[in-house]
Amino acid sequence: MGDTLSVTDNRTGKTYEIAIEDGAIRAMDLRQIRVDDDDYGLKTYDPAFKNTASCKSRITFIDGEKGILRYRGYPIEQLAEKSSYIEVAYLILNGELPTQSQLDIFAHEITHHSIIHEYIKRVIEGFRYDAHPMGMFVSMVGALSTFYPDAKKVHDPQSRQLQTYRLIAKVPTLAAFAYRHTIGMRFNYPDNDLSYAGNFLKMMFCMSNSYTPDPVLEKALDQLFILHADHEQNCSANAMRAVGSSEADPYCSTAAAAAALYGPLHGGANEAVLRMLNEIGSKDNVPSFVKRVKDGEVRLMGFGHRVYKSYDPRAKIIKKTAHEVFSVTGKNPLIDIALELERIALQEDYFVKRKLYPNVDFYSGIIYEAMGFPVSMFPVLFAIPRTSGWIAQWVEMITDSDQKIARPQQLYLGEDERDFVPMRNRGRSISKKLDAKAQSRKGARKK
Ligand code: ACO
């Protein structure tokens, strides 16, 4: 029989042979399963895509049970230790590690596209002083679309390449400018002599003209960028692909992806973790907080993952990085609460049974805070490195002959056809229906 699935429709008694390819069946193969000629054909119902592959991809591999994450085949642990974010961005986008000259060209292009148009500053200045930086970030990435109309040529590889450089280069500038706006400080322009992470730190924190990023913090931030660069078909990557599938330009698609990342169940979780740790306040309050989680009152933010059913490998690396950062910044006292939460939670049946472990966001916020980033910048710090992953996902989608505009099916469970009710009859028709129901209930009781 080979790699096939035999399906018998018990409504009709017919059996169908469906091909299995790469461990999956094609949902369209189910369409042939029909009761009669008027039947549309069988569909699958999969809200939240829990068991539906929406694409074929060669970028990122995750084994959630074993806690494995690889970009283009390279284990995340090796990349975090031996590579740089720019090299990893190249790898994710191009499929192979660069040669020295390829890396030099790529780094040069990224560095030299980091300036933003002066008018973008006016967009930023239009925001209130207390605007959330992630809201500003989403808007400004979308606004870039109006500055680069050539980005509409989504089928032109050269145009795609140029927008890729622009996006990866400009996101740190947009992020830092958004932050500076919230604190009412002048914008720091990009410094081409610094690394990607070092330049970002300078744009964020430089108060006078001279600023040298601390090498430990620069390296730690670069490592955090590596860990956040891609994560296959998560909510924001899915948004990138879905919006991009309409052939919207990459700035609009990236803005949509960033908007998806903003939510507290996705990239906003690191912000939520910090707020949660502050609310817990001390190690002594951990047991009562864990009890509230078990009682279903609150979620333990930074725990659990749709894919990882064991320790998130990124969280393991970040936990180590935290201590390196604290050696420079001093210890963030929240780490003790986090460690205690993890210790107690991992002993509890509730978490063990549900396979809930710390995810990437559980420790990242503590490091960011120690580095001086305000909590509201945390999702933005996620969006900066994820931009390379989003673009890689978008390019893969746009060049995949299997892909068409994303357009899921639905199971329609609403009203059948009915006639329009004029306004004057509406209340009456409802009360008439209710009256009729009440009458029939009365009748039933009498019987
Ligand atoms: N705290 C307490 N209970 C949890 C948590 C949590 N953090 N996460 C899941 N659960 C429980 C659910 O209540 C559910 O229990 P039940 O079976 O008794 O109803 C069970 O575990 C399964 O949870 P789901 O919500 O069905 O799992 P799903 O895969 O849909 O959700 C998610 C994954 C959204 C990440 C979830 O674990 C969560 O909300 N975590 C907290 C937010 C967070 O840290 N998000 C960051 C994810 S990583 C990232 O985006 C980078």
Side-chain angles (χ1 to χ4, degrees), residues 265-266 269 293 299-304 306 350 354 356 359:
L265 298 189
H266 190 9
V293 175
R299 280 210 160 191
L300 178 49
M301 299 312 287
F303 257 66
R306 173 60 60 77
Y350 177 94
R354 291 172 177 77
L356 300 172
N359 60 49

Side-chain angles (χ1 to χ4, degrees), residues 48 50 228 231 234-235 261 263-270 272-273 293-294 296 298-309 312 314 350-351 354-362 382 386:
K50 278 183 129 172
H228 285 89
H231 211 232
N234 52 79
C235 180
L261 188 73
L265 298 189
H266 190 9
N270 50 16
V273 169
V293 175
K294 289 194 302 183
V298 282
R299 280 210 160 191
L300 178 49
M301 299 312 287
F303 257 66
H305 199 276
R306 173 60 60 77
V307 180
Y308 292 119
K309 299 302 167 199
D312 181 337
R314 300 167 300 174
Y350 177 94
F351 298 91
R354 291 172 177 77
K355 299 187 175 175
L356 300 172
Y357 294 88
N359 60 49
V360 68
D361 283 326
F362 193 64
F382 194 152
R386 185 53 62 86

Side-chain angles (χ1 to χ4, degrees), residues 137-353:
F137 182 84
V138 169
S139 313
M140 288 187 294
V141 172
L144 287 181
S145 157
T146 66
F147 289 83
Y148 304 112
D150 56 317
K152 286 187 174 50
K153 292 185 268 173
V154 294
H155 292 294
D156 174 352
Q158 271 178 324
S159 168
R160 286 202 300 263
Q161 183 68 77
L162 179 57
Q163 316 318 325
T164 300
Y165 292 142
R166 284 176 174 155
L167 266 162
I168 296 175
K170 290 180 203 306
V171 284
T173 316
L174 296 177
F177 280 27
Y179 168 67
R180 301 289 291 194
H181 178 69
T182 62
I183 56 167
M185 300 295 287
R186 72 170 165 77
F187 301 130
N188 291 318
Y189 282 75
D191 182 337
N192 289 356
D193 293 331
L194 293 177
S195 71
Y196 192 77
N199 170 49
F200 178 58
L201 286 170
K202 182 173 179 186
M203 287 191 292
M204 284 286 299
F205 298 124
C206 177
M207 289 301 169
S208 60
N209 283 334
S210 69
Y211 178 93
T212 310
D214 184 288
V216 174
L217 302 189
E218 185 180 356
K219 179 156 184 305
L221 187 62
D222 196 67
Q223 197 184 50
L224 284 159
F225 283 176
I226 293 173
L227 301 181
H228 285 89
D230 192 55
H231 211 232
E232 54 119 308
Q233 306 313 310
N234 52 79
C235 180
S236 56
N238 185 55
M240 182 84 192
R241 282 179 175 259
V243 174
S245 76
S246 74
E247 302 191 357
D249 73 54
Y251 300 102
C252 292
S253 303
T254 304
L261 188 73
Y262 193 2
L265 298 189
H266 190 9
N270 50 16
E271 185 174 350
V273 169
L274 250 271
R275 295 193 199 286
M276 175 190 77
L277 293 175
N278 278 313
E279 188 195 312
I280 296 172
S282 89
K283 268 168 78 173
D284 299 343
N285 298 332
V286 167
S288 59
F289 185 81
V290 171
K291 181 172 181 309
R292 287 177 63 209
V293 175
K294 289 194 302 183
D295 291 346
E297 272 179 57
V298 282
R299 280 210 160 191
L300 178 49
M301 299 312 287
F303 257 66
H305 199 276
R306 173 60 60 77
V307 180
Y308 292 119
K309 299 302 167 199
S310 64
Y311 215 100
D312 181 337
R314 300 167 300 174
K316 265 189 207 154
I317 300 168
I318 287 184
K319 218 168 142 180
K320 216 173 116 228
T321 309
H323 295 290
E324 285 158 23
V325 169
F326 297 160
S327 69
V328 175
T329 62
K331 191 163 108 176
N332 184 339
L334 295 180
I335 188 82
D336 290 333
I337 303 176
L339 288 168
E340 183 67 357
L341 260 177
E342 180 186 328
R343 192 184 69 79
I344 295 193
L346 294 185
Q347 291 171 356
E348 292 280 351
D349 228 30
Y350 177 94
F351 298 91
V352 175
K353 254 197 347 225

